[in-house]
Amino acid sequence: MKRIKRRAAAALVLAFLILAGLGYFLVRLAEDGASWAMYRANSSVYTNGILDCGILTDRDGLILARMGGGEHRYADDETVRISSLHAVGDFLGYIGSGALTVYAGQLAGYSFWEGTTAGGQTVALSLDADLQTAAWTALAGRSGAVLVLDYTTGEILCMVSSPAYDPNGEADTSLDGVYLNRCTGATFTPGSVFKLVTLAAALDTIPDLETRRFTCHQTLEMDGGTIRCTGWHGEQTIEQALANSCNCAFGELARELGPEVLEGYAQALGVAGSLTLDGVATAAGQFLPAEAGTADLAWSGIGQYEDLVTPYAMARLCAAIANGGQVQEPTLLLGQDNGLTQLLSAEAAETLGDYMNYDVVYSYGRDRFPGLDLCAKTGTAEVGGGATHAWFVGYLQSGAPLAFAVVLEKGGGGLIQAGAVANTVLQKASEIYSQ
Amino acid sequence: MEHTAQICIQISGYAQAVLALWILLRCALSMLQEKYEPEVWAYLELPGGSSRAIHHWECILGRSHASDIVLAGQAGVDRSHAALRRDDHGQWTVWDLGSREGVFVNGQKIQRQAPLNDRDELRLGQASLHFMALSDQQRNTLQRNRAEPGRRVAPGGTMFLLTLFQLLILTQHLLSAQATYRQAVGLSFGVLIALEWVCYFFMRSLSVKGFEPETVAFFLTSVGFSVAASSVPENMVKQCFLLIGALGLFLALGWWLRDMGRVRALRWPMGAAALGFLGLNLLLSEAIWGAKNWLSIAGHSLQPSEFVKIAYVYAGAAPLDRLFRKRNLLMFIVFSAVCVGALALMGDFGTALVFFCCFLVISFMRSGSFATVFLALSGAGLAGMLVLTVKPYVAQRFANWGHVWEDPTGAGFQQVRTMTATASGGLFGHGAGNGWLEDVVAADTDLVFGVVCEELGLITGMVCILAVLLLAFFAVRNAAAGRSSFHVIAACAAVSIMMAQLALNVFGSLDILPFTGVTFPFVSRGGSSLISCWALLAYIKAGDTRKNASFALSNVSRKLRGRAVRKEAGKS
């Protein structure tokens, strides 16, 4: 019997395998439970594939979407509905990056402890409906994106993408990329706003940068091409070169830095490659290293060539500059803390900030932005056929702690067009903050 | 009203999870913690003058350390020299296990076996021993001093908690069920509760005090009733009759196992029955959901392969004297290969795998040889490869394994829904009868873990798994004090069948193992499965040697007391 007794333990091999399997299952459940529970077949929370519980509001409690009992309603105000379409998303999930899809787990009140909860939960977004309305109105039907975030908390206050449609009606699918959130889901040629990246690389890499003089005779001959500039800038400091957005100076810097250094900075600063917003990947920006010494390399440092960035990445970079080099990672949820990431050294951030302020004061004109203590950079990105994307990115260095990016798709000149939209939105935002 | 019902369900969800844990804990404390005081059946006086108690009805004498009575340093003693065996009537027999120098009783060399009586001289090689049978009085004293189960954790208290658990689940069902089914659901839970208490008091009336394995089984059965009430409330009356049948078979088989003589007589017929069932199955059954393992009789479908499990364990377990004969093991391997092969022919690979696991456990316990197990595993591996090439749908299941989220509306349909429902239920569930997974095909059998987790919560789901494991640990622990190797092997085989089913069912539906579609013991809906699980429980019961713990063991002390009373009466 002693033998049999010993051998009986063999039956326990299976028992221990089951315990191990159970442990593995629990780990997976803890990791992936939210996404399992939010599969659209879960009829505790979905009815015919439509989330049927939860309330989504803006930062002030204004209802952006309400679901329950088979009824689905968006915001009452039409402009709020349209301007928030891409941030909020739609009930059917055509806009995959919308809050209704991304935060479905929170809306259904999912937790490991309780599972999904009947009736769902209220989820407050960090968006401000008034600011959304202001941005949408300022875009005035033009294609583009407006993104404003608080660089101290990372909360996104404004995220508007155009074209959009009233979700209470049918989508006009004849519009180009109507389901696309242009803030996070689309990339654009950056043009001169990319010079912030080139400059950040130069500040770290070239020791005598601030004492150097750059000469601009409107064109610069390079291997296999000519760099054209917007004007005859003569001799300038780096500060002046940025304010002039001088292509000759930045072409020269790009050639000196070389493709690898530029690529490294584009990636480190988040403008190349993919980022995440509340755990969801954004469209990936692009920086292709051009052959050393060629005009392509110079163009790549000026934000042309094959460069592509998302407005989200540009706003995030500006937020980092505003916040002493550390970015408080953005979020669309009120009160959510996604942590800090060091993008730049504090010194580089300070210098960049000073130069961006100099741009506004000496080049763009403070009159355009009354009452705003602005640091900014324009971009007028050539996209062929004479069309240009109008960019305006930057932040407020006092007053409301806001960083922003505005792009108008084939919208003309950066300062005149995008700058005006940014001004309208920032005026409104400052007003909201002062209350 | 809606809101009040919601809160009721939520609170009863917490209470029900706590009760499930409490029931499990009480059963575990009493099944695994209670001190084991081995029974003493006789003594052997060793050459040095010391004596050794005999704790089992079967024991081996030899030089090996694995012997029950170790005769070290004695000339002419083999590693496993002889076996002693007690029968149900207290008569001892000594068996020669093919030793070199033979076994002598009172100086006479025995042929294979000989009866052994009190104070007989037993000689193995040069070692001379004296066999001392216990007098009735000695036995009685020893038996009186043994601890009874239930001293520390009273089974009646656990039963009370179980009843509360069942009433909570019933309340949840009554809150969510359609009006037409309320009566049937209420009635069926009433019958369930009545049956378990009848069973409990019946055992008490026999002075049987160990009721934990039954409590565990009744717990699992209750969860099974809840699943059935969710998915097929119209079938609840049938479910009650099935449970009555299952309990009947449990008691009958348990009673049958009391007598080793009876047990021996039925081993060959049981083997034949197993093969017969499978043959019948192959010839007559129809294919439902890919596996040809259903038999329809007068409008009722049943799965013969479930009954084969009972017969297979019975035929596979062996008393000690059979253990040492190679021919027996070989026969068993051939028998097993036929069984597993027949199941594979039917396309029921899940059950084939369950049998194979059971085969591995039995063959290892019988032979003690890792080589046998290794050989069997490699053979099965080759057979498995063959299956994958000739049965493409099995290969398909392997291809989907681990990738179900890539095809949630096709090949991964059931698993994805199980995982979704499991996560959605949280720790406490959405309330019995309040789920949606029950509407998916085969939810109440193959995906039952998801249904339990969604409606009763992850805690109750886990308690169900742990309850089956508890039976396994209990059976293995009992092996130390088992009376006969038949009982020990049968109990371990029974729990290994249950565990293999559990693993395939739960992990298959959660995409941790390939999806095979076997049943969760006691919980999955299905009459054949319920009946076979309760029958397997009889084997576990028969391995429980605590004092007055099991009706499946003859209660020697009571018998002795009866005999003593009769003697007294005779004298006067």
Side-chain angles (χ1 to χ4, degrees), chain A residues 27-355:
Chain A
V27 170
R28 280 189 66 185
L29 183 67
E31 278 177 2
D32 301 334
S35 66
W36 293 355
M38 296 325 292
Y39 180 60
R40 279 178 190 269
N42 185 352
S43 44
S44 299
V45 286
Y46 289 97
T47 303
N48 301 324
I50 301 177
L51 190 65
D52 200 20
C53 58
I55 297 172
L56 198 65
T57 72
D58 85 337
R59 64 187 301 117
D60 298 320
L62 182 96
I63 290 172
L64 297 174
R66 176 202 284 275
M67 301 137 283
E71 272 193 52
H72 300 80
R73 290 175 57 194
Y74 295 100
D76 291 334
D77 182 83
E78 186 186 353
T79 317
V80 173
R81 281 199 300 272
I82 300 177
S83 62
S84 308
L85 172 74
H86 295 96
V88 169
D90 62 320
F91 295 125
L92 290 169
Y94 285 117
I95 299 165
S97 62
L100 287 173
T101 302
V102 175
Y103 311 116
Q106 282 100 314
L107 286 166
Y110 176 82
S111 68
F112 180 82
W113 185 260
E114 289 274 8
T116 55
T117 41
Q121 301 250 302
T122 298
V123 174
L125 297 184
S126 55
L127 294 179
D128 187 296
D130 293 336
L131 203 53
Q132 293 284 100
T133 305
W136 175 258
T137 313
L139 281 172
R142 291 169 289 181
S143 282
V146 180
L147 191 67
V148 181
L149 60 93
D150 182 322
Y151 54 76
T152 58
T153 62
E155 286 172 2
I156 294 175
L157 294 146
C158 176
M159 185 195 251
V160 174
S161 172
S162 173
Y165 59 93
D166 184 349
N168 278 352
E170 292 290 308
D172 181 356
T173 46
S174 69
L175 297 170
D176 181 32
V178 73
Y179 294 129
L180 197 67
N181 185 345
R182 283 166 162 73
C183 293
T184 53
T187 57
F188 302 91
T189 304
S192 298
V193 292
F194 190 84
K195 285 172 183 158
L196 294 175
V197 177
T198 308
L199 181 54
L203 281 171
D204 287 352
T205 319
I206 300 169
D208 65 339
L209 185 70
E210 285 167 71
T211 53
R212 235 212 257 171
R213 293 295 175 270
F214 298 87
T215 314
C216 166
H217 296 150
Q218 196 148 14
T219 56
L220 176 67
E221 293 300 325
M222 295 190 72
D223 302 348
T226 307
I227 303 299
R228 292 173 317 281
C229 196
T230 49
W232 183 294
H233 298 119
E235 196 164 282
Q236 1 158 42
T237 62
I238 182 66
E239 195 174 23
Q240 289 162 333
L242 185 72
N244 294 331
S245 202
C246 178
N247 288 348
C248 297
F250 278 86
E252 194 182 316
L253 282 178
R255 188 169 57 176
E256 201 169 324
L257 290 165
E260 287 78 22
V261 172
L262 278 176
E263 189 190 18
Y265 271 83
Q267 279 168 354
L269 299 181
V271 296
S274 185
L275 296 167
T276 60
L277 172 57
D278 293 328
V280 178
T282 67
Q286 170 178 288
F287 182 89
L288 299 183
E291 203 177 314
T294 62
D296 284 347
L297 174 63
W299 282 122
S300 75
I302 301 167
Q304 295 290 154
Y305 186 51
E306 303 286 343
D307 298 3
L308 290 172
V309 304
T310 59
Y312 176 73
M314 288 313 302
R316 180 174 170 270
L317 174 58
C318 291
I321 297 169
N323 202 36
Q326 274 189 323
V327 64
Q328 175 68 44
E329 288 291 352
T331 177
L332 207 53
L333 291 172
L334 189 64
Q336 167 89 5
D337 183 351
N338 283 340
L340 287 163
T341 310
Q342 188 83 43
L343 289 193
L344 301 147
S345 67
E347 303 79 57
E350 198 186 339
T351 313
L352 274 169
D354 290 345
Y355 291 180

Side-chain angles (χ1 to χ4, degrees), chain A residues 384-395:
Chain A
T388 55
H389 291 331
W391 279 92
F392 199 68
V393 305
Y395 64 94

Side-chain angles (χ1 to χ4, degrees), chain A residues 1-5 7-8 10-11 15 18-19 21-22 25-26 28 33 36 39 42-44 110 113-116, chain B residues 14 56 58 65-68 80 323 364-366 368 405 408 419-420 423-424 426-427 430 436 465 488 499 502:
Chain A
M1 288 305 294
K2 216 193 240 172
R3 269 180 220 177
I4 295 288
K5 170 190 142 191
R7 292 173 194 168
I18 288 173
L19 285 175
L22 206 56
F25 164 67
L26 288 178
R28 280 189 66 185
W36 293 355
Y39 180 60
N42 185 352
S43 44
S44 299
Y110 176 82
W113 185 260
E114 289 274 8
T116 55
Chain B
Y14 296 139
H56 310 282
E58 295 167 357
H65 287 293
S67 306
D68 296 289
S80 300
L323 236 47
F364 179 71
M365 288 185 72
R366 286 178 66 154
W405 285 97
M419 289 153 98
T420 298
S424 177
L427 297 186
H430 290 165
W436 50 268
I465 294 177
V488 173
M499 285 193 292
L502 170 100

Side-chain angles (χ1 to χ4, degrees), chain B residues 326-473:
Chain B
K326 285 268 186 302
R327 189 175 63 97
N328 274 298
L329 184 63
L330 201 67
M331 292 280 285
F332 173 65
I333 292 175
V334 172
F335 169 62
S336 303
V338 172
C339 286
V340 173
L343 285 163
L345 262 180
M346 289 172 215
D348 191 355
F349 294 102
T351 311
L353 208 54
V354 169
F355 270 80
F356 182 67
C357 281
C358 178
F359 162 74
L360 285 183
V361 169
I362 293 183
S363 62
F364 179 71
M365 288 185 72
R366 286 178 66 154
S367 68
S369 131
F370 285 103
T372 312
V373 172
F374 197 73
L375 216 66
L377 274 176
S378 22
L382 286 175
M385 302 265 243
L386 194 69
V387 165
L388 290 182
T389 50
V390 296
K391 299 264 183 182
Y393 90 95
V394 179
Q396 185 56 41
R397 285 189 170 177
F398 266 94
N400 299 328
W401 176 31
H403 302 280
V404 295
W405 285 97
E406 289 157 28
D407 191 8
T409 53
F413 189 90
Q414 290 169 302
Q415 297 96 312
V416 160
R417 274 151 191 77
T418 307
M419 289 153 98
T420 298
T422 305
S424 177
L427 297 186
F428 308 102
H430 290 165
N434 228 355
W436 50 268
L437 186 65
E438 65 201 36
D439 302 326
V440 173
V441 171
D444 53 7
T445 54
D446 300 351
L447 316 181
V448 77
F449 184 71
V451 175
V452 172
C453 286
E454 189 196 8
E455 300 191 358
L456 305 180
L458 181 65
I459 291 182
T460 305
M462 302 260 290
V463 169
C464 289
I465 294 177
L466 295 176
V468 174
L469 296 188
L470 175 60
L471 290 176
F473 279 97

Side-chain angles (χ1 to χ4, degrees), chain B residues 29-49:
Chain B
L29 280 179
S30 132
M31 286 161 83
L32 302 181
Q33 208 202 18
E34 215 147 356
K35 217 177 111 208
Y36 259 76
E37 290 164 70
E39 298 171 294
V40 178
W41 299 101
Y43 289 98
L44 268 182
E45 274 187 12
L46 298 192

